Amino acid sequence: MPANSILGVFAKSPIKPVIEHINKIVECTVELDAFFNAVYQEKWEQAGEIQRHISQLEKEADQIKRDIRGNLPSGLFMPVERTDLLELVSQQDRIANKAKDVAGLVTGRQLVIPSPLIDGFQTYLSRCLDAVRKAAETINEFDELLEAGFRGRERELVVSMINELDCIEDDTDKMQIQLRRSLRSIETAMNPIDAMFLYQILDWVGDLADLSERVGSRFEVMLARD
Protein backbone atom coordinates (compact mmCIF):
# COMPACT_ATOMS: atom_id res chain seq x y z
CA MET A 1 0.00 0.00 0.00
CA PRO A 2 1.50 3.39 -0.96
CA ALA A 3 2.40 5.71 1.91
CA ASN A 4 -0.18 8.33 0.95
CA SER A 5 -2.88 5.66 0.84
CA ILE A 6 -1.99 4.17 4.19
CA LEU A 7 -1.95 7.62 5.76
CA GLY A 8 -5.49 8.08 4.47
CA VAL A 9 -6.49 4.78 6.03
CA PHE A 10 -4.88 5.73 9.34
CA ALA A 11 -6.84 8.99 9.28
CA LYS A 12 -10.06 6.95 9.19
CA SER A 13 -8.99 4.12 11.49
CA PRO A 14 -5.48 3.64 12.89
CA ILE A 15 -5.97 -0.10 13.18
CA LYS A 16 -7.33 -0.96 9.73
CA PRO A 17 -3.80 -1.50 8.34
CA VAL A 18 -3.14 -3.89 11.25
CA ILE A 19 -6.22 -5.85 10.22
CA GLU A 20 -5.08 -5.79 6.59
CA HIS A 21 -1.74 -7.17 7.73
CA ILE A 22 -3.18 -10.16 9.63
CA ASN A 23 -5.46 -10.96 6.70
CA LYS A 24 -2.44 -11.03 4.39
CA ILE A 25 -0.71 -13.30 6.94
CA VAL A 26 -3.63 -15.73 6.69
CA GLU A 27 -3.59 -15.60 2.90
CA CYS A 28 0.10 -16.53 2.98
CA THR A 29 -0.05 -19.21 5.65
CA VAL A 30 -3.07 -21.19 4.47
CA GLU A 31 -1.21 -21.87 1.23
CA LEU A 32 0.66 -24.51 3.24
CA ASP A 33 -2.40 -26.73 2.90
CA ALA A 34 -2.11 -26.92 -0.89
CA PHE A 35 1.67 -27.00 -0.57
CA PHE A 36 1.71 -30.13 1.57
CA ASN A 37 -0.92 -31.81 -0.58
CA ALA A 38 1.61 -31.51 -3.41
CA VAL A 39 4.40 -32.72 -1.12
CA TYR A 40 2.47 -35.83 -0.08
CA GLN A 41 2.29 -36.77 -3.77
CA GLU A 42 5.92 -35.75 -4.35
CA LYS A 43 4.84 -33.26 -7.03
CA TRP A 44 7.89 -31.09 -6.50
CA GLU A 45 7.32 -28.73 -9.42
CA GLN A 46 3.85 -27.91 -8.12
CA ALA A 47 5.17 -27.62 -4.58
CA GLY A 48 7.84 -25.23 -5.82
CA GLU A 49 5.27 -23.01 -7.49
CA ILE A 50 3.24 -22.81 -4.28
CA GLN A 51 6.40 -22.17 -2.27
CA ARG A 52 7.22 -19.20 -4.48
CA HIS A 53 3.67 -17.92 -4.06
CA ILE A 54 4.01 -18.20 -0.27
CA SER A 55 7.25 -16.25 -0.48
CA GLN A 56 5.58 -13.52 -2.55
CA LEU A 57 2.69 -13.22 -0.09
CA GLU A 58 5.17 -13.00 2.77
CA LYS A 59 6.90 -10.12 0.98
CA GLU A 60 3.55 -8.37 0.59
CA ALA A 61 2.90 -8.79 4.31
CA ASP A 62 6.38 -7.40 4.99
CA GLN A 63 5.57 -4.34 2.92
CA ILE A 64 2.38 -3.72 4.90
CA LYS A 65 4.40 -4.08 8.11
CA ARG A 66 6.98 -1.54 6.90
CA ASP A 67 4.22 0.87 5.87
CA ILE A 68 2.64 0.60 9.31
CA ARG A 69 5.95 1.17 11.07
CA GLY A 70 6.77 4.13 8.86
CA ASN A 71 3.39 5.84 8.95
CA LEU A 72 1.70 4.99 12.23
CA PRO A 73 0.98 8.38 13.83
CA SER A 74 2.67 9.03 17.17
CA GLY A 75 -0.40 10.70 18.66
CA LEU A 76 -3.28 8.26 18.54
CA PHE A 77 -6.39 9.32 20.44
CA MET A 78 -7.54 5.86 21.45
CA PRO A 79 -7.05 3.44 24.36
CA VAL A 80 -4.18 1.66 22.63
CA GLU A 81 -0.49 2.46 22.91
CA ARG A 82 1.47 2.95 19.69
CA THR A 83 4.13 0.55 20.96
CA ASP A 84 1.47 -2.09 21.58
CA LEU A 85 0.22 -1.84 18.00
CA LEU A 86 3.76 -2.13 16.65
CA GLU A 87 4.45 -5.17 18.83
CA LEU A 88 1.20 -6.76 17.68
CA VAL A 89 2.25 -6.29 14.05
CA SER A 90 5.64 -7.84 14.82
CA GLN A 91 3.98 -10.88 16.36
CA GLN A 92 1.69 -11.23 13.37
CA ASP A 93 4.61 -10.95 10.98
CA ARG A 94 6.43 -13.89 12.54
CA ILE A 95 3.62 -16.21 11.43
CA ALA A 96 4.19 -15.48 7.74
CA ASN A 97 7.95 -15.75 8.20
CA LYS A 98 7.51 -19.20 9.67
CA ALA A 99 5.23 -20.34 6.84
CA LYS A 100 7.86 -19.20 4.35
CA ASP A 101 10.57 -21.07 6.29
CA VAL A 102 8.53 -24.29 6.35
CA ALA A 103 7.86 -24.25 2.62
CA GLY A 104 11.44 -23.26 1.84
CA LEU A 105 13.00 -26.08 3.86
CA VAL A 106 10.67 -28.77 2.55
CA THR A 107 11.15 -27.65 -1.05
CA GLY A 108 14.89 -27.17 -0.74
CA ARG A 109 15.43 -30.73 0.47
CA GLN A 110 12.45 -32.25 -1.34
CA LEU A 111 11.59 -33.59 2.08
CA VAL A 112 9.15 -36.49 1.81
CA ILE A 113 6.52 -36.95 4.51
CA PRO A 114 6.54 -40.73 5.23
CA SER A 115 3.19 -42.31 4.37
CA PRO A 116 2.54 -43.57 7.95
CA LEU A 117 2.68 -39.95 9.12
CA ILE A 118 0.61 -38.23 6.43
CA ASP A 119 -2.83 -38.49 8.01
CA GLY A 120 -1.63 -37.35 11.42
CA PHE A 121 0.52 -34.62 9.94
CA GLN A 122 -2.36 -33.25 7.87
CA THR A 123 -4.63 -33.16 10.92
CA TYR A 124 -1.86 -31.38 12.84
CA LEU A 125 -1.26 -28.88 10.03
CA SER A 126 -4.99 -28.17 9.73
CA ARG A 127 -5.27 -27.49 13.45
CA CYS A 128 -2.27 -25.16 13.36
CA LEU A 129 -3.90 -23.29 10.47
CA ASP A 130 -7.07 -23.11 12.57
CA ALA A 131 -5.00 -21.18 15.11
CA VAL A 132 -3.84 -18.72 12.46
CA ARG A 133 -7.40 -18.17 11.28
CA LYS A 134 -8.66 -17.72 14.84
CA ALA A 135 -5.95 -15.14 15.53
CA ALA A 136 -7.05 -13.25 12.42
CA GLU A 137 -10.70 -13.55 13.39
CA THR A 138 -9.83 -12.01 16.74
CA ILE A 139 -7.86 -9.12 15.26
CA ASN A 140 -10.65 -8.48 12.77
CA GLU A 141 -12.85 -7.55 15.74
CA PHE A 142 -10.46 -4.70 16.58
CA ASP A 143 -12.53 -2.00 14.87
CA GLU A 144 -15.76 -3.01 16.59
CA LEU A 145 -13.93 -3.36 19.90
CA LEU A 146 -12.55 0.15 19.53
CA GLU A 147 -15.99 1.55 18.74
CA ALA A 148 -17.33 -0.18 21.84
CA GLY A 149 -14.66 1.49 23.96
CA PHE A 150 -13.04 -1.88 24.72
CA ARG A 151 -16.06 -2.77 26.85
CA GLY A 152 -19.31 -4.66 26.90
CA ARG A 153 -20.40 -7.56 24.73
CA GLU A 154 -17.71 -6.93 22.11
CA ARG A 155 -14.98 -7.25 24.72
CA GLU A 156 -16.53 -10.49 25.99
CA LEU A 157 -16.58 -11.83 22.42
CA VAL A 158 -12.90 -11.05 21.92
CA VAL A 159 -11.94 -12.60 25.25
CA SER A 160 -13.86 -15.73 24.24
CA MET A 161 -11.98 -15.88 20.94
CA ILE A 162 -8.64 -15.55 22.72
CA ASN A 163 -9.60 -18.39 25.07
CA GLU A 164 -10.55 -20.53 22.08
CA LEU A 165 -7.20 -19.72 20.49
CA ASP A 166 -5.46 -20.96 23.63
CA CYS A 167 -7.40 -24.24 23.39
CA ILE A 168 -6.43 -24.71 19.74
CA GLU A 169 -2.77 -24.14 20.57
CA ASP A 170 -3.02 -26.69 23.38
CA ASP A 171 -4.47 -29.20 20.88
CA THR A 172 -1.52 -28.69 18.54
CA ASP A 173 0.95 -29.28 21.37
CA LYS A 174 -0.64 -32.66 22.05
CA MET A 175 -0.69 -33.54 18.34
CA GLN A 176 2.97 -32.65 17.99
CA ILE A 177 3.92 -34.95 20.86
CA GLN A 178 2.08 -37.83 19.19
CA LEU A 179 3.64 -37.12 15.80
CA ARG A 180 7.13 -37.02 17.29
CA ARG A 181 6.48 -40.42 18.85
CA SER A 182 5.28 -41.77 15.51
CA LEU A 183 8.32 -40.38 13.74
CA ARG A 184 10.64 -41.86 16.33
CA SER A 185 9.13 -45.30 15.68
CA ILE A 186 10.12 -45.17 11.98
CA GLU A 187 13.18 -42.91 11.95
CA THR A 188 15.67 -45.78 11.76
CA ALA A 189 14.30 -46.63 8.31
CA MET A 190 14.82 -43.06 7.10
CA ASN A 191 17.77 -41.03 5.88
CA PRO A 192 19.07 -39.66 9.22
CA ILE A 193 19.36 -36.12 7.85
CA ASP A 194 15.80 -36.25 6.52
CA ALA A 195 14.59 -37.48 9.89
CA MET A 196 16.37 -34.60 11.61
CA PHE A 197 14.80 -32.06 9.26
CA LEU A 198 11.38 -33.64 9.62
CA TYR A 199 11.57 -33.13 13.37
CA GLN A 200 12.39 -29.50 12.56
CA ILE A 201 9.34 -29.22 10.32
CA LEU A 202 7.12 -30.60 13.08
CA ASP A 203 8.46 -27.87 15.37
CA TRP A 204 8.05 -25.11 12.79
CA VAL A 205 4.50 -26.08 11.86
CA GLY A 206 3.69 -26.07 15.56
CA ASP A 207 5.21 -22.60 15.78
CA LEU A 208 2.38 -21.36 13.56
CA ALA A 209 -0.04 -22.13 16.38
CA ASP A 210 2.34 -20.88 19.08
CA LEU A 211 2.85 -17.57 17.29
CA SER A 212 -0.88 -17.21 16.68
CA GLU A 213 -1.49 -17.74 20.39
CA ARG A 214 1.06 -15.00 21.09
CA VAL A 215 -0.89 -12.65 18.84
CA GLY A 216 -3.92 -13.36 20.99
CA SER A 217 -1.88 -12.85 24.16
CA ARG A 218 -0.57 -9.53 22.90
CA PHE A 219 -4.11 -8.43 22.10
CA GLU A 220 -5.19 -9.54 25.57
CA VAL A 221 -2.46 -7.38 27.11
CA MET A 222 -3.86 -4.41 25.20
CA LEU A 223 -7.31 -5.15 26.64
CA ALA A 224 -5.90 -5.44 30.15
CA ARG A 225 -4.30 -1.99 29.90
CA ASP A 226 -7.62 -0.34 29.20
Side-chain angles (χ1 to χ4, degrees):
M1 179 183 291
N4 60 343
S5 296
I6 202 166
L7 281 171
V9 172
F10 274 127
K12 297 176 183 178
S13 170
I15 48 78
K16 280 196 181 298
V18 178
I19 294 173
E20 179 188 0
H21 184 249
I22 192 65
N23 289 339
K24 181 62 68 173
I25 298 296
V26 173
E27 185 182 352
C28 169
T29 308
V30 298
E31 285 293 308
L32 286 175
D33 197 23
F35 173 78
F36 275 105
N37 278 327
V39 170
Y40 300 148
Q41 301 172 68
E42 299 184 43
K43 295 181 177 179
W44 296 112
E45 183 175 347
Q46 181 181 351
E49 291 175 359
I50 300 171
Q51 182 269 326
R52 288 187 290 274
H53 186 48
I54 289 172
S55 183
Q56 177 58 40
L57 291 170
E58 188 274 336
K59 288 178 183 177
E60 293 173 12
D62 256 356
Q63 185 57 55
I64 298 171
K65 175 191 68 177
R66 286 192 292 270
D67 287 342
I68 291 172
R69 287 176 173 175
N71 296 290
L72 184 64
S74 57
L76 296 179
F77 296 100
M78 63 181 203
V80 175
E81 295 288 339
R82 183 176 187 273
T83 52
D84 283 340
L85 278 179
L86 292 175
E87 179 58 28
L88 179 62
V89 170
S90 294
Q91 291 289 352
Q92 293 177 174
D93 194 61
R94 293 185 180 104
I95 300 172
N97 291 341
K98 190 61 64 173
K100 182 185 71 172
D101 290 345
V102 168
L105 177 55
V106 172
T107 303
R109 283 198 61 83
Q110 295 195 349
L111 188 63
V112 173
I113 308 298
S115 57
L117 298 185
I118 288 177
D119 287 346
F121 182 86
Q122 181 59 37
T123 301
Y124 173 57
L125 172 65
S126 295
R127 196 59 172 153
C128 290
L129 295 180
D130 284 345
V132 179
R133 293 186 182 98
K134 181 56 66 174
E137 184 182 349
T138 304
I139 299 303
N140 271 269
E141 292 295 321
F142 208 156
D143 253 346
E144 286 75 13
L145 186 63
L146 185 60
E147 290 178 5
F150 279 46
R151 289 178 171 80
R153 188 171 300 175
E154 186 63 32
R155 183 183 182 122
E156 292 175 4
L157 173 63
V158 170
V159 170
S160 175
M161 288 179 174
I162 292 171
N163 289 338
E164 186 176 349
L165 181 54
D166 290 343
C167 291
I168 295 171
E169 193 273 335
D170 187 54
D171 286 347
T172 65
D173 283 345
K174 294 172 183 175
M175 291 176 181
Q176 185 182 130
I177 290 169
Q178 185 56 52
L179 274 170
R180 291 177 72 87
R181 287 174 179 164
S182 298
L183 176 55
R184 188 166 64 247
S185 71
I186 64 171
E187 66 181 23
T188 55
M190 298 176 60
N191 177 312
I193 303 299
D194 283 348
M196 179 187 71
F197 278 116
L198 191 49
Y199 278 113
Q200 182 72 75
I201 290 299
L202 293 182
D203 285 344
W204 283 1
V205 170
D207 285 344
L208 297 173
D210 292 342
L211 293 167
S212 297
E213 190 270 339
R214 290 178 198 172
V215 167
S217 294
R218 171 52 55 178
F219 202 19
E220 190 171 30
V221 167
M222 294 166 69
L223 291 177
R225 287 184 180 174
D226 177 44

